[in-house]
């Protein structure tokens, strides 16, 4: 199986972390591709052109992070890597965590446009959303601490990209979240998936 990723994409990182956490390195080949590129090899596997994408063989490709997580959990025999709809609070929390990651991606994308094209209104909207969401996560940190599964991995990757790309960090207002992040960042899966290109850039 091939897992298509870019080096810097936080959604890709979620999938890469899961591959390591689930011990699937031997059967999942990580393939780095380009996105927003009409010549990308990924387009031969999925018209969406987005990462992560998991090619299963026989022209079957999963191109949604939650689906990929669910599938990886399935083949690893660890179905609780994603929340079950039977545990509705966990299920809702997981959706919230993925939406936090999505929101940081929107903010990063906007911030990287040519200066004249950046919408300050959008930036401020995303900043306000981020502050609100981190406040909520500070209250809900026990949920993140319980298990390092999709919800927690999404937040770990979201907070990392927010720090590296936007200089937006958990601060004194979020001490529990900050401590949780320090702890999870020391995991082998998080260490092995640090975006190397961003690491080399000045922060
Ligand atoms: N909802 C998708 C989001 C994936 C996504 O937005 N990926 C970004 C990189 S973080 C991407 O591939 N962007 C390329 C593009 O928009 O063409 C998922 O859950 O997998």
């Amino acid at each position: 199986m091939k897992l298509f990723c870019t080096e810097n994409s936080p959604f890709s990182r979620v999938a890469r972390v899961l591959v390591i956490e689930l011990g699937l390195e031997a059967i999942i080949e990580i393939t780095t591709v380009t996105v927003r590129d009409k010549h990308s090899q990924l387009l031969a596997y999925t018209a969406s052109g987005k990462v992560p994408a998991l090619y299963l063989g026989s022209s079957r490709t999963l191109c949604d992070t939650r689906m990929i997580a669910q599938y990886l959990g399935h083949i690893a025999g660890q179905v609780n890597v994603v929340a079950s709809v039977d545990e509705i609070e966990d299920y809702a929390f997981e959706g919230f965590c993925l939406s936090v990651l999505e929101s940081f991606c929107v903010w990063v994308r906007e911030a990287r446009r040519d200066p004249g094209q950046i919408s300050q209104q959008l930036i401020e909207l995303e900043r306000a959303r981020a502050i609100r969401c981190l406040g909520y996560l500070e209250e809900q940190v026990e949920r993140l601490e319980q298990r390092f599964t999709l919800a927690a991995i999404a937040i770990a990757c979201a907070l990392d990209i927010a720090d590296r790309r936007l200089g937006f960090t958990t601060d004194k207002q979020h001490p529990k979240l900050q401590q949780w992040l320090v702890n999870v960042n020391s995991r082998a899966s998080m260490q092995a998936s640090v975006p190397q290109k961003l690491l080399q850039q000045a922060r």
Side-chain angles (χ1 to χ4, degrees):
M1 268 174 278
K2 281 177 187 287
L3 180 65
F4 294 105
C5 296
T6 67
E7 226 169 273
N8 294 341
S9 145
F11 276 102
S12 294
R13 189 178 183 193
V14 170
R16 286 162 56 215
V17 167
L18 276 164
V19 167
I20 299 169
E21 290 287 333
L22 294 167
L24 296 173
E25 295 102 313
I27 59 168
I28 307 283
E29 180 196 341
I30 309 285
T31 306
T32 303
V33 288
T34 50
V35 289
R36 302 190 169 198
D37 166 16
K38 65 182 179 187
H39 302 297
S40 174
Q41 71 167 126
L42 177 59
L43 297 179
Y45 296 85
T46 169
S48 94
K50 291 193 179 188
V51 289
L54 182 67
Y55 180 61
L56 310 177
S58 308
S59 301
R60 294 185 183 120
T61 305
L62 303 179
C63 52
D64 168 84
T65 302
R66 189 176 189 281
M67 286 177 76
I68 292 171
Q70 189 169 21
Y71 190 81
L72 294 177
H74 170 74
I75 57 175
Q78 290 191 43
V79 290
N80 64 357
V81 78
V82 293
S84 159
V85 73
D86 293 327
E87 304 289 341
I88 196 67
E89 282 188 20
D90 291 348
Y91 192 69
F93 184 68
E94 181 180 274
F96 169 78
C97 292
L98 287 165
S99 85
V100 171
L101 177 56
E102 185 95 54
S103 301
F104 276 123
C105 290
V106 170
W107 183 356
V108 167
R109 214 168 286 148
E110 188 65 21
R112 292 183 66 211
R113 296 177 73 182
D114 291 339
Q117 306 228 306
I118 295 176
S119 160
Q120 287 306 326
Q121 195 184 2
L122 182 63
I123 299 271
E124 286 315 314
L125 189 146
E126 291 305 337
R127 187 191 305 280
R129 192 201 313 276
I131 291 167
R132 214 165 51 230
C133 289
L134 262 53
Y136 178 71
L137 287 167
E138 177 72 7
E139 288 166 17
Q140 299 289 321
V141 80
E142 286 88 8
R143 286 186 182 277
L144 295 173
E145 287 165 349
Q146 272 164 19
R147 290 178 300 161
F148 196 57
T149 51
L150 180 59
I153 295 169
I155 294 302
C157 294
L159 294 178
D160 185 76
I161 203 78
D163 180 13
R164 287 180 202 281
R165 293 274 207 183
L166 303 164
F168 181 86
T169 53
T170 54
D171 53 22
K172 292 191 186 95
Q173 288 177 310
H174 313 110
K176 292 186 272 183
L177 191 57
Q178 177 60 32
Q179 187 54 54
W180 170 82
L181 186 62
V182 168
N183 294 344
V184 296
N185 273 340
S186 67
R187 292 178 83 98
S189 60
M190 289 298 290
Q191 295 278 321
S193 60
V194 169
Q196 291 304 317
K197 280 189 192 152
L198 295 182
L199 195 64
Q200 284 153 19
Q201 286 171 13
R203 294 174 79 169

